């Protein structure tokens, strides 16, 4: 019998007994009140008169009316840049000890997101919530004795002149794991500090046989590459031949569905997949029950959520929001509606456009799914094509042609006749004719999106598909940013970047 595992499982069961069902609306009201109270004497709080907002009985509405939306560039230029010059008490009373570097999927220059000690504590609390939720997944006691492979960015953080440190959020959180967790954590501190992705994964492959891995955690595309490396290094058929007790995969950063088929091909048996939503700005949500793939918002931590209906008339061309775009709180959200996610946090972000769009699957439980990125909404000539529809298109091709598609990107290109074409690059080893693939993709999207169907009868002339090896996408990420960590492939590119992408693909195919 797994004695230690049994004890841990019993503690989780006991903790759940004494944990009441959350009232998410009340949680959020308390979070906003805490944020405003704590930050009322900061430069930001005084400028926007938090003191008066708190006096209003409808402080949620007053907060929304008096504070504008901020994308990163706007809040950084006006406020966060002061932190980089060593000033304090700007948007939050305590100074951040870390900055999370995030170039995201839409730009080349890194964003520097403040990470306060309060935010690190919130992330830890949300991690505990995730662990407690494992009770719902019917895992055996032996699982709780196994090791956990957390594959993120390097924990070898960059030291700044102001004694702060910076790195990707996965590296920051891994460098701050609790002492009691270190015996479970793999690949271990020494390997996790290796900055070069290929060197780190090579070392993981070399040491893989020493570990008894029960769970994996990380972004799907990079987890897959790591598993492929381990399998190839040890000449295995699947990863379970070396890690037979692997039972759980905690996915994060992007939707798992595009990677599901290729991920399962690396396994010897089924594993439980749990979705999480950890961003550079905070731990947003986690899946807490097996009946759904949706994730529950972490409403009782240090993040206050608002939601703007994702409609073309509210979105600027750069993916930001118009100032008059309406927002709602958790008590007023609806099902079957895409929302732009807005957050205010204990790291001093206020009404911040995180860049993601979400949809509620269960309002009472505050459960959501990620539907895309505001900048990845392709609305050339009214096609209104969102990432979730693009992902669904890829799944339709997988089923029709019995293949695996893990990466893709798209651009709307205008030709000399003023007609537009959707140009797709798809990462797969599919050998079918590209014209046939384009026809089937176009056919699916017409049936899945009425706006797309209308556009195809007007200025959107057609669809062109280019099949390329998936490795080209990984190489693109490497030269533009770096491998691993929180790096995600752009699903939609603007024309200027797409020209560089096409030139890069041309050179890659020559080599």
């Amino acid at each position: 019998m797994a004695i230690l595992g049994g004890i841990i499982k019993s503690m989780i069961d006991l903790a759940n007994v004494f944990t009441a069902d959350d009232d998410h609306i009340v949680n959020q009201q308390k979070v906003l009140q805490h944020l405003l109270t704590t930050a009322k004497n900061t430069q930001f709080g005084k400028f926007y008169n938090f003191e008066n907002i708190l006096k209003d009985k409808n402080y949620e509405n007053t907060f929304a009316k008096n504070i504008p939306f901020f994308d990163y560039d706007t809040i950084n230029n006006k406020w966060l840049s002061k932190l980089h010059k060593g000033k304090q008490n700007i948007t939050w009373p305590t100074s951040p000890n870390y900055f999370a570097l995030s170039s995201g999927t839409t730009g080349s220059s890194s964003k520097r997101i403040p990470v306060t000690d309060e935010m690190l504590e919130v992330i830890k609390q949300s991690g505990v919530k995730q662990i407690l939720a494992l009770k719902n997944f019917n895992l055996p006691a032996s699982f709780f004795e196994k090791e956990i492979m957390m594959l993120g960015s390097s924990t070898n953080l960059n030291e700044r002149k102001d004694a702060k440190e910076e790195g990707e959020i996965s590296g920051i959180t891994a460098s701050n794991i609790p002492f009691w967790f270190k015996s479970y954590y793999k690949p271990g501190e020494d390997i996790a500090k290796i900055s070069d992705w290929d060197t780190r994964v090579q070392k993981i492959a070399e040491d893989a046989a020493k570990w008894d891995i029960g769970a994996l955690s990380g972004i799907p595309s990079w987890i897959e590459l790591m598993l492929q490396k381990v399998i190839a290094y040890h000449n295995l058929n699947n990863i379970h031949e070396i890690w037979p007790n692997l039972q759980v995969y905690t996915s994060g950063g992007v939707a798992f569905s595009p990677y599901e088929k290729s991920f399962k091909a690396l396994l010897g048996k089924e594993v439980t997949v749990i979705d999480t939503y950890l961003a550079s700005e905070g731990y947003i949500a986690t899946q807490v029950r097996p009946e759904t793939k949706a994730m529950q918002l972490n409403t009782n931590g240090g993040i206050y959520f608002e939601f703007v209906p994702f409609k073309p008339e509210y979105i600027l061309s750069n993916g930001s929001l118009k100032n008059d775009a309406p927002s709602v709180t958790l008590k007023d959200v609806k099902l079957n509606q895409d929302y732009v996610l807005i957050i205010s946090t204990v790291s001093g972000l206020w009404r911040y456009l995180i860049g993601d769009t979400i949809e509620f699957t269960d309002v009472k439980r505050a459960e959501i799914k990620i539907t895309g990125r505001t900048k990845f909404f392709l609305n050339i000539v009214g096609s209104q094509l969102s990432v979730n529809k693009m992902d669904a298109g890829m799944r339709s091709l997988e089923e029709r042609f019995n293949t695996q598609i893990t990466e893709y990107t798209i651009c709307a290109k205008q030709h000399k006749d003023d007609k537009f074409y959707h140009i797709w690059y798809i990462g797969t080893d599919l050998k079918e004719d590209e014209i046939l693939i384009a026809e089937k993709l176009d056919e699916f999207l017409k049936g899945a999106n009425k706006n797309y169907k209308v556009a195809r009868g007007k200025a959107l002339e057609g669809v062109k598909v280019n099949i390329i090896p998936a490795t080209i996408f990984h190489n693109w990420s490497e030269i533009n940013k770096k491998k691993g960590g929180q790096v995600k492939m752009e699903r939609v590119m603007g024309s200027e970047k797409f020209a560089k992408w096409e030139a890069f693909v041309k050179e890659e195919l020559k080599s």
Side-chain angles (χ1 to χ4, degrees):
M1 177 182 179
I3 298 175
L4 178 59
I7 293 172
I8 295 173
K9 191 171 190 297
S10 297
M11 291 172 65
I12 290 174
D13 292 343
L14 186 63
N16 277 284
V17 168
F18 290 104
T19 301
D21 290 336
D22 275 341
D23 185 328
H24 297 286
I25 293 173
V26 172
N27 285 348
Q28 283 288 275
Q29 291 170 344
K30 290 179 179 178
V31 167
L32 179 58
Q33 199 167 46
H34 169 69
L35 292 174
L36 293 172
T37 301
T38 306
K40 65 183 179 181
N41 292 320
T42 62
Q43 291 184 27
F44 191 95
K46 290 180 178 179
F47 186 86
Y48 288 106
N49 211 337
F50 283 7
E51 189 84 55
N52 276 355
I53 294 175
L54 284 163
K55 292 177 182 176
D56 196 318
K57 290 183 179 179
N58 296 318
Y59 60 90
E60 289 173 295
N61 292 335
T62 307
F63 173 72
K65 288 179 181 177
N66 286 274
I67 317 300
F69 299 118
F70 288 96
D71 59 19
Y72 175 78
D73 288 336
T74 305
I75 198 169
N76 183 62
N77 292 338
K78 291 185 177 180
W79 299 100
L80 300 183
S81 58
K82 299 178 182 180
L83 295 173
H84 302 305
K85 296 176 182 178
K87 296 183 180 181
Q88 299 184 9
N89 202 37
I90 307 301
T91 63
W92 193 250
T94 57
S95 180
N97 288 319
Y98 300 94
F99 288 92
L101 300 180
S102 171
S103 55
T105 47
T106 52
S108 57
S109 59
S110 285
K111 301 174 183 177
R112 286 174 165 80
I113 308 295
V115 181
T116 59
D117 288 343
E118 292 95 327
M119 177 54 74
L120 286 176
E121 184 58 33
V122 166
I123 291 174
K124 288 178 184 177
Q125 290 173 1
S126 299
V128 170
K129 171 185 172 179
Q130 179 186 338
I131 292 172
L132 293 178
L134 290 174
K135 169 186 179 291
N136 302 325
F137 291 86
N138 196 32
L139 296 166
S142 59
F143 168 78
F144 297 94
E145 289 190 326
K146 306 306 177 185
E147 294 161 327
I148 300 175
M149 170 68 71
M150 296 171 60
L151 188 66
S153 58
S154 172
T155 58
N156 187 20
L157 306 177
N158 301 320
E159 293 186 8
R160 294 160 46 106
K161 293 180 181 179
D162 54 6
K164 312 296 184 183
E165 293 183 289
E166 59 186 20
E168 290 184 17
I169 191 64
S170 56
I172 292 172
T173 54
S175 66
N176 282 274
I177 60 174
F179 72 92
W180 55 266
F181 185 69
K182 290 184 178 181
S183 61
Y184 294 92
Y185 167 60
K186 296 302 175 198
E189 294 180 82
D190 291 341
I191 296 178
K193 287 181 179 179
I194 299 174
S195 297
D196 181 73
W197 162 261
D198 292 314
T199 303
R200 187 164 11 122
V201 171
Q202 176 64 28
K203 185 60 176 171
I204 288 172
E206 292 170 2
D207 289 1
K210 302 176 183 177
W211 306 322
D212 188 5
I213 302 297
L216 299 170
S217 179
I219 287 181
S221 55
W222 304 116
I223 285 285
E224 282 192 14
L225 288 178
M226 181 272 291
L227 294 180
Q228 290 168 0
K229 185 70 172 181
V230 173
I231 290 170
Y233 183 84
H234 293 276
N235 195 27
L236 308 173
N237 294 309
N238 60 71
I239 198 63
H240 277 104
E241 291 184 0
I242 196 167
W243 294 334
N245 295 309
L246 175 61
Q247 298 183 65
V248 172
Y249 168 49
T250 301
S251 177
V254 295
F256 176 67
S257 58
Y259 303 91
E260 185 171 7
K261 189 170 183 179
S262 56
F263 179 81
K264 287 184 176 180
L266 302 173
L267 307 177
K269 54 189 175 183
E270 290 287 326
V271 302
T272 297
V273 178
I274 301 175
D275 277 321
T276 64
Y277 186 0
L278 174 63
S280 298
E281 295 82 0
Y283 198 159
I284 307 297
T286 188
Q287 182 184 345
V288 297
R289 57 195 185 102
E291 306 95 281
T292 177
K293 292 298 183 184
M295 299 171 287
Q296 187 177 81
L297 290 171
N298 293 323
T299 59
N300 61 352
I303 303 177
Y304 177 68
F305 299 103
E306 296 174 87
F307 313 92
V308 174
F310 188 40
K311 297 181 178 180
E313 57 264 35
Y314 302 146
I315 311 298
L316 297 171
S317 59
N318 66 355
S320 297
L321 289 170
K322 294 182 178 178
N323 288 330
D324 59 352
S327 64
V328 296
T329 60
L330 195 55
K331 66 178 181 293
D332 294 317
V333 296
K334 307 293 183 185
L335 297 175
N336 303 316
Q337 166 69 61
D338 278 3
Y339 290 101
V340 179
L341 183 61
I342 307 297
I343 62 172
S344 300
T345 78
V346 292
S347 281
L349 298 179
W350 297 99
R351 303 204 80 208
Y352 181 82
L353 175 66
I354 197 171
D356 291 328
T357 61
I358 59 97
E359 177 185 341
F360 280 86
T361 60
D362 190 312
V363 173
K364 184 178 180 181
R365 289 189 172 99
E367 289 180 337
I368 63 164
K369 62 180 180 180
I370 301 172
T371 56
R373 299 279 294 172
T374 55
K375 290 188 178 182
F376 290 175
F377 183 64
L378 194 59
N379 194 32
I380 299 295
V381 299
S383 56
Q384 294 190 23
L385 196 58
S386 60
V387 168
N388 58 330
K389 288 293 190 293
M390 298 178 204
D391 285 346
M394 296 301 98
R395 303 293 73 73
S396 72
L397 294 181
E398 283 189 334
E399 292 176 10
R400 180 176 289 273
F401 295 106
N402 190 28
T403 189
Q404 297 173 11
I405 299 171
T406 57
E407 300 292 356
Y408 68 87
T409 194
I410 177 176
C411 179
K413 290 182 65 174
Q414 188 174 17
H415 286 224
K416 293 179 181 179
D417 58 1
D418 291 331
K419 297 288 188 179
F420 281 87
Y421 288 81
H422 280 179
I423 311 299
W424 293 75
Y425 280 83
I426 300 175
T428 178
D429 58 2
L430 188 60
K431 303 300 182 185
E432 293 286 345
D433 180 71
E434 292 176 338
I435 295 176
L436 175 62
I437 297 170
E439 288 176 355
K440 297 305 178 184
L441 176 59
D442 189 38
E443 178 184 291
F444 173 84
L445 292 174
K446 285 178 182 176
N449 185 337
K450 63 180 181 181
N451 293 303
Y452 177 87
K453 184 176 181 180
V454 170
R456 281 290 287 111
K458 296 181 178 179
L460 183 57
E461 184 67 16
V463 175
K464 296 184 179 181
V465 166
N466 302 278
I467 299 300
I468 61 174
T471 53
I472 293 180
F473 290 88
H474 304 147
N475 295 341
W476 170 261
S477 293
E478 184 175 17
I479 69 160
N480 281 275
K481 300 162 189 174
K482 58 182 179 180
K483 287 185 177 180
Q486 300 296 110
V487 177
K488 301 171 282 261
M489 181 65 198
E490 303 99 319
R491 292 309 192 202
V492 176
M493 290 188 188
S495 56
E496 185 176 338
K497 192 166 191 177
F498 197 70
K500 295 179 181 178
W501 159 257
E502 291 200 299
F504 175 79
V505 172
K506 186 177 181 180
E507 289 300 314
E508 286 285 299
L509 293 175
K510 285 182 181 178
S511 59

